[in-house]
Amino acid sequence: MTSSAIDTRSSRTAAAAERTARLTWSLIAEPSDPVAHLARSVLGPAAALEAAREATDHELLEALGGTLPSDAADPSPGSHRSRAAKALARWRARLKVVDLPRALADAERRGIRVITPADEEWPMMLGDLEHTAPHCLWLHGPGLLDELITPRSIALVGSRASTPYGEDTAGSLAAAFAAHGGTVVSGGAYGIDAAAHRGALAASDGATIAVLAGGLDRLYPRGNTTLLERIRERHLLVSEAPPGTAPTRWRFLARNRLIAALSQATVVVEASWRSGALSTARHADDLSRPVGAVPGPVTSAASAGCHRIIRERGAVLITEGQDVQDLLPGGPAAGEGAFARQDALDLLTPADRRVLDAVPPRSALSAERIAQEIGFSPVDVQAALARLDLMGHVERSGGRVRRARARS
């Protein structure tokens, strides 16, 4: 066997080991486990997994530089060494019951596939998460993630306890964006998420992705099963949690960073003061991705979170589909909204407008009298009247001028 063949075989073996390690990490570590992410980032997936199996708490701490991050939800973070000991304990407890071949066989039987950064389908945008990027992603549906996550992907998120106003707005924004070939990313939850998915599904040219907090073998919430099945049939369901994982509050919050990372921009359609949807906006902000928010009535508690991020975090005010398009990098320059109306009078210069304003609506005046009224020279008034006559705003007869009659 030649040296190049040996190198190729060694490379394939290393790639296979890394893939196996990443899949195993997804089974033994929570998406929000900061020590697991640090170990994988510093040591590499395979070496980190070996440390999880064999290292002492002192060896793990030393390998990771002597400092370990704490989990915000840990009631007693303790010392760095105690964090290492806790991490090893929770990983090893799951390693005792993990059966990766069985998990993969079960996923394949259900039509669920799994990808890692070594696969072509892995979206490059997830690299912005750096060491908190997911170990792997579990996918279900005919869509290819790298093709759906394009420069025209946007997150539309909001509260579960939504109002008809919020749901109608989310559906309209999603349908308009998808109709232009965009991909709408959301979380598949009740309320705004569901409305956004439905709006995108109603458009023939767009797509939608639901990023779930639990395993793709148990669609949640159950009340949205039909909707999630439609997304699965036409586009794609995504989760970093392996099949069999139950959705929990902390997994929802961890999931939100994926929604932000898989989108070029995030729009919060309706959110209360402490809505979990605001965490998606914070993640997008941390990733330097544009954030927009839809305003609501000032008396509506359901929109207090949107008003908060507009005021405190500089979120872009979103009122219509064009505003969403404007958020995209390299998108069209912001223009006037759909409610803007321009008529012929908007094209007049300030001087011509002043002359026109001096012409009475129901009688006629001479140019000299108009000049006296507005303080212009007769020559300037005559020139302005000539232009106004050509544009059809005035009529001149016998040295006097009057407003042009409306054409029937």
Side-chain angles (χ1 to χ4, degrees):
M1 183 178 293
T2 64
S3 59
S4 61
I6 293 174
D7 291 341
T8 300
R9 183 175 180 179
S10 176
S11 177
R12 289 176 178 172
T13 301
E18 176 169 326
R19 180 180 179 84
T20 298
R22 282 185 169 275
L23 302 187
T24 303
W25 274 115
S26 79
L27 295 170
I28 68 172
E30 289 293 327
S32 57
D33 188 332
V35 182
H37 285 303
L38 178 64
R40 187 201 66 199
S41 177
V42 172
L43 304 177
L49 185 59
E50 183 179 353
R53 289 192 173 108
E54 306 294 341
T56 65
D57 54 3
H58 176 72
E59 291 170 340
L60 177 64
L61 181 61
E62 188 176 57
L64 299 183
T67 302
L68 297 184
S70 61
D71 188 337
D74 191 340
S76 55
S79 66
H80 293 292
R81 186 163 181 176
S82 68
R83 293 175 197 169
K86 288 181 181 180
L88 290 172
R90 62 177 176 262
W91 299 338
R92 287 170 183 172
R94 290 186 176 179
L95 280 168
K96 291 179 181 179
V97 297
V98 159
D99 187 342
L100 181 57
R102 180 178 178 180
L104 291 175
D106 182 60
E108 184 177 5
R109 178 175 58 83
R110 297 175 183 272
I112 299 170
R113 64 187 188 278
V114 61
I115 62 172
T116 72
D119 295 304
E120 292 184 3
E121 194 176 348
W122 187 266
M124 298 301 295
M125 291 168 62
L126 289 177
D128 290 346
L129 289 173
E130 298 180 335
H131 67 277
T132 65
H135 305 294
C136 60
L137 287 176
W138 302 80
L139 312 176
H140 201 179
L144 296 177
L145 189 56
D146 62 324
E147 294 182 358
L148 292 172
I149 300 304
T150 69
R152 297 192 56 76
S153 61
I154 200 160
L156 290 178
V157 297
S159 293
R160 292 170 175 79
S162 55
T163 67
Y165 160 79
E167 293 176 13
D168 181 67
T169 302
S172 298
L173 292 177
F177 187 75
H180 287 84
T183 297
V184 174
V185 182
S186 199
Y190 292 130
I192 298 302
D193 287 13
H197 289 307
R198 291 191 182 99
L201 287 170
S204 59
D205 295 331
T208 187
I209 295 173
V211 185
L212 305 186
L216 301 183
D217 59 329
R218 48 174 73 182
L219 300 183
Y220 182 88
R222 291 188 177 181
N224 280 352
T225 296
T226 300
L227 172 63
L228 295 174
E229 287 175 343
R230 288 177 61 201
I231 297 172
R232 184 179 65 194
E233 290 168 3
R234 292 178 53 182
H235 304 298
L236 197 63
L237 300 180
V238 178
S239 180
E240 64 182 317
T245 304
T248 59
R249 176 171 174 75
W250 68 86
R251 288 171 184 151
F252 278 111
L253 292 175
R255 177 277 312 268
N256 289 345
R257 81 191 194 287
L258 299 185
I259 295 177
L262 290 172
S263 309
Q264 293 288 352
T266 293
V267 175
V268 183
V269 178
E270 190 175 52
S272 60
W273 185 261
R274 297 188 182 279
S275 171
L278 299 182
S279 72
T280 307
R282 286 192 290 271
H283 285 302
D285 205 18
D286 292 340
L287 294 171
S288 298
R289 308 272 174 85
V291 175
V294 175
V298 295
T299 55
S300 174
S303 292
C306 292
H307 301 159
R308 180 183 181 185
I309 62 174
I310 291 172
R311 181 177 61 252
E312 297 178 3
R313 303 183 71 90
V316 177
L317 188 73
I318 302 295
T319 60
E320 58 186 353
Q322 181 60 44
D323 297 336
V324 177
Q325 300 283 346
D326 294 341
L327 284 181
L328 295 174
E336 294 181 327
F339 296 105
R341 294 292 182 269
Q342 187 180 69
D343 59 27
L345 297 181
D346 294 323
L347 304 177
L348 299 180
T349 66
D352 288 354
R353 184 62 184 259
R354 181 175 293 188
V355 172
L356 180 61
D357 287 343
V359 178
R362 294 183 179 85
S363 60
L365 289 178
S366 66
E368 291 75 11
R369 178 65 184 276
I370 294 174
Q372 291 174 2
E373 288 284 338
I374 64 176
F376 282 12
S377 71
V379 173
D380 289 336
V381 170
Q382 289 285 6
L385 290 172
R387 290 190 293 270
L388 293 170
D389 190 6
L390 287 172
M391 297 175 69
H393 293 303
V394 300
E395 297 173 347
R396 292 187 292 177
S397 177
R400 299 169 70 84
V401 61
R402 63 183 301 156
R403 290 287 183 104
R405 295 179 176 85
R407 294 181 175 86
S408 58

